[in-house]
Amino acid sequence: MINKKNSLIIFIVLIVGILFTSSVMAQETVELEMWHAWTGQDAFASEVLLPKIEEFQKQNPNIKLKIQVIPNDSYRTKLRTQAAGGQIPDIMQTYPGSEVQPLVEAGLLMDLEGIIDYWTDDLIPRDSLSAYTFNDKVYAIPAKVNYTHFAFYNKDMLKEVGYTVWPETYKEFKVMADKLKAKNIVPISLGNKAKWVLQSIYISTIGDRLTGIDYLEDVLAGERKFTDPAFIKALDVIKELADEGYFNKDANSLNDMEMRQAFYQKRAAIFFGGAWDIGGVIETAKEENMNVGIATFPQIEGEVAPKALSGVTGSAFSIRSGLSEAQKEAAIKFLKFFYSEETYVDLLRTGSFVPAKVDLPADISPQFQEVINLVNEHQIGPVYDAVLPINLIQTINNGLQSLTTGEMTSEELAQQMQDNL
Amino acid sequence: MNNKIKKIDKFKKIATYAILIFFALINIYPIFWMVMNSFKTENQISINSFSLPESFMLSNYTKAWNAVSLGRSFMNSFIVAGISVLITVAIGSLAAYFISRFEFPGKKLIYSFFIFGLLVPIHGTLVPIFILMRNIGLVNTRVSLILPYVAFNLPLTIFILSSFMKSLPKAVEEAAIVDGAGYLRIFWSIILPMSRPALATVGILNFVYNWNEFSFALVLINDNKLMTLPLSLSLFSGQFSTDYGMQMAGLSMALVPIIAIYLLMEDQLVKGMSAGAVKG
Amino acid sequence: MEHIYKHKKKIIYLGILPAFLLYLGFVIIPIFISARYSLVEWNGFSPPSFVGLENYAEMFGNNIFWRSLKNNMVVVLASVLGQVPIGFLLALLVNQKIKGRHFFRTIIFMPVVISAVIISLVWSMVYNYNFGLLNNILSFVGLESWVQNWLSNPDIAMFSVAAVIIWQFVGLYFIIFLAALQTVPDEILEAAKIDGAQGWKRTLYITIPLVKDSILAAIVLCISGSLKTFALIYVMTNGGPSHATEVMAIHMYDNTFNGMKFGYGSAVSIFIVVFGIVLVTIVRKLFAKFEN
C-alpha cells in the first residue's frame, strides 16, 4: 500500500537517482551543436562528408553532435541573424575570405594555431589555408578546392564547324563562335540570374590571367587600382562575348540548371562551369551519348599569368570561441577525424579536388584523371568573391549583369568598383 | 424583344465560361507541370521538363518522404499552422467585433494601430524577433513560431473581419440588445455566424501564410525534430545541384493539405447571410 | 441605446486586449527595435556603432534604392489596377448559379497557394526567349515584332514580373470579394432585375456601393502587400538583371543579409513602413472624398 510517506520517499529516491545519473552522464557526454550546408545532393557530401560525420558519432558515443543542416541559400541568413542575436553554433561550416572574416574580427571563432601542426605542412600546405587565415592565424580547415572555371564543349557540334580540337587562342575562339552562330547554334550557354556565374566562373579566371594572380591583393592594399587597363580589358572580354551574341539572349534570366539544360539539349555548343559540374557532365554525357570535351578559356592576348585557373578552398569547419575545455577537446577530436588523409582520398574518388598532398588513388575514373592532368597544367589564381569584401562582390555581380545588358561600360564598372573600395 | 434578351443571355453565358476556362487553364498548368515532373528522374527533367513522364514512378515520393522526414514536418506544420490560425481567428474576430460594431474612445486609434501592421516587412523584424525570443528563452520551440505567426496575421484578420462586420445591418443586434442579450452572446450567436464567409476567408489566408512561412522558421528553429514543412522542402537543393524530382514530389505533397483545407472552408465562404442564423 | 454601450466600455477594451498585446509584443516592438538599428552601423557580428541618420542619408543618395522604389511602384499600380478589378470580376462571375462553380472557385484561388519556386520555374519557361510559350504564340499569330526577351531585357523585365504577381494574387482578392458578395441579399439583386436595371448597371449602382468597405479593404491590402512583395521576385529574377526588378524588400534583404549592413537594411524597412502609411492614408482620404 502506498501512503503519503512512502510516496514521498520514493519520490526523493527517484529525484536523487536522476540527479546522480545525470551528473555522471554530464561528465561523460559532451554535446556540440553543429551547422553545415551539405543537404546531400552533391556527391562529395553524400558519399564522403556526411558518412564521415556519421562514422565519427558511432565511434564516439560520448560526443553528441546536434546537427542542423541548412541549405546553402539560407545558411548565411540564419547564421547572420543568430550571430546578431549573440548566438552561434559550436562547430559550423564557414565560407572563405570575406565571408568568414567578420566572424573572426568579432572574435567569435577559435584560432586553430595550437593544433594546426597536426595538418601542416605534411598533409596540408600552409598556403592552402590562406582563405581562412587572418593575422597569420588559421580559423578553419577546408576539405576541398573548388576550381571555378572549366569549359564544357560538345565535340560533335564543334566538328560541324570544322574544329576537332578546342581553340588555342581567344581570337580563334571568336572565329569558331561566329561559325557556330552562322549555323544557328548558340555558342555559349549562360545562366547568370543568380549573378555569381559571370563573376566566379568567368571574370575570376579571365581577370587572373590578364591582371596577374596578385592583382586583387594589390588593389585591396591600395597599390593598384580597378581602373587598371588590364582589368578593364578583362571586363571587355565579357562585354565582347555578350555584344557579339555568343551567349543565349536570355542569359540573365536563366539559372544554372537551365544553363546546363540548354547544353544537354544541344541548343548550345559550350558552357562554362565549375569543378562541381564535372561529375554531372560526365554522367549525363554517358547516358545521352554526347561527346563532351573539357578545357579552360583559350589564351587571350596580353596575358600576364597565362594558364591561371581560379580556385578556392571550401567545405571548411570552424570552431566557436569560448567553448568549455571538454567541448574544445571534442571539437578538435572531430576536426582531426574529419580532415584526415582518408577523407581527402575519398573526396578525390568522387571527382573533387582537395587542398591536401595525398597520392591519387588507383581507382579514379579516366575522365577525372584527364581533368586532373588539365588542372596540373595550370596555376591556381584567386576567385573574386573569395577575396573581395562583400560590398564589392555585390558591385561586381550586379555590374557584370549591367555590362551584358549594355547599361554600363567596362570603364564605368571599373570606376564604380574603385569608388566603392 | 424576348429573342434579343435570350441572345444577350447566351452571349453572356459564353463569355463567362470563356473567361473562367481561360483562368482555369493558366492556373492549372503550373500544378500539372509540377506533378508531371515529380514522376521523372533527375535526368529526364534536365533534358526535357515539358514532356509527359514515361511512367508514374513513385520513387521520388518515397525518397522525398524518407530523405527529410517529411512525415514529421507535416505534423509540425499542422500543429504550428493550425494552432496559430485558431488563436488568430479567435482573438482577431473578437477585436474586430468591438472595433466594427461599437463606438468608444480611442477606437479609430486602435484600428489604425492594427492596420499599421499590414505594412511591416517581416524580414525587417527577423533579428529583433530572434533576440526577443532568445531573451524570453523561447528559441527553438513551437511557441516561438506561433507567437509571430499570430501577431503578423492579426492585422489582416482584423482588417478583413471588421470591414465585413461593418457592412452587416445594424438592426439585428439592436433587437438583441433590447432583448437583454450580452455583448458576448451577440458576438457568439449572431455576428460570428453571419460572418462565416469572412471567417472562412481569413482562416484560409492565415493557414496558407503559416503553412508556407519560411523565414521565421529558418531562424527560430534549431532542432530537426521541430522543422516545419518549408524548411524540410528546402533541403532538396544543395550548393551546386538541386534534386528537382524530389523537390517537385515534396511540393506536390505539401499542396494536398492546403487544397483540402480550402475545399473545407470554401463551402462556408459562400454560405451567405441567407443560410446564416438570421435571415434578411 | 448609447448609454448601454457606455456602461460596458470595460468589456470592449478587455475584448480587444489579447489581440492588442500579442500584436504589440511581436510586431510593434520588433519594428521599433528595427528603427533603433537604423541609427547604427552594424555588420551583425561586431558591436554596433551609432551613426545618427547616416543610413538614411546613404539610402536617399543611393540610385539603386530609388530604382527599387520605382520598381515597387510598378508592382503597387499593377496590383491595384490589375488584381482588384480582375478579382472582383471573377467573384461576380462565380457568384452566379453556373455549372462547375465549385471547381472554378477552387482553381481561381490556387496560384495563391502554389510555392514561389514552382511559379517562378513555370513562368520563366513561359517567358523564355527561345522556346517560351509566349514568344511561340506571338510568332504563331504573326506578331514576330512583339517577340521579347521578357525577363532579360532590363526595360521590360519589371513589367513581366508584375504580370506574374497580378496573376499569383488575384485569387486573394477574389475570395475577399466572394465573401463580401454574400452580404448582398439576393432580394436586392432580384428586385433590380425586375426594375430593368441590367447587367453592368446593376453592378455599378447596387452591388459596388454595398461592398465598398471590402473594396477599400482590398485596395489597402493590395498596397501593403505590394510594398512588401519579396518571395516571387527573389526566386524568379533575384532582382536582376542589373537591379531592373529589385523592389524595396529585396533591396533591404540583400543589404541586410548578403551585404551585412543591418543598419542600412533597417533604414529601408522603416522607409517601407512610413511610405506605406502615407500611401494608405492618401487612398483612404480619396475614398472618403469619393463617398461624399
Side-chain angles (χ1 to χ4, degrees), chain C residues 122-133:
Chain C
V122 170
W123 278 88
S124 297
M125 285 185 233
V126 170
Y127 281 138
N128 187 290
Y129 181 73
N130 293 305
F131 56 94
L133 191 67

Side-chain angles (χ1 to χ4, degrees), chain C residues 170-290:
Chain C
V170 155
L172 198 138
Y173 303 96
F174 163 78
I175 67 164
I176 291 174
F177 288 130
L178 195 59
L181 285 176
Q182 309 313 313
T183 61
V184 181
D186 290 348
E187 292 82 1
I188 292 182
L189 294 176
E190 288 306 316
K193 215 171 193 174
I194 295 162
D195 289 345
Q198 280 294 335
W200 64 271
K201 264 194 198 159
R202 186 179 2 144
T203 308
L204 194 62
Y205 291 124
I206 299 167
T207 314
I208 289 185
L210 279 172
V211 296
K212 65 175 191 311
D213 284 333
S214 293
I215 293 178
L216 174 62
I219 293 175
V220 170
L221 283 178
C222 220
I223 292 173
S224 59
S226 306
L227 286 177
K228 294 185 299 182
T229 187
F230 176 82
L232 182 75
I233 303 181
Y234 194 72
V235 281
M236 195 157 170
T237 62
N238 203 355
S242 56
H243 305 292
T245 57
E246 187 163 320
V247 288
M248 287 193 287
I250 291 185
H251 186 63
M252 181 225 111
Y253 183 89
D254 208 34
N255 275 289
T256 310
F257 295 107
N258 295 328
M260 298 202 294
K261 288 155 72 183
F262 282 85
Y264 181 89
S266 298
V268 179
S269 291
I270 299 304
F271 179 85
I272 294 176
V273 174
V274 173
F275 186 71
I277 293 174
V278 173
L279 275 192
V280 168
T281 312
I282 291 174
V283 167
R284 289 177 71 186
K285 285 259 156 67
L286 280 178
F287 227 78
K289 219 174 180 184
F290 190 69

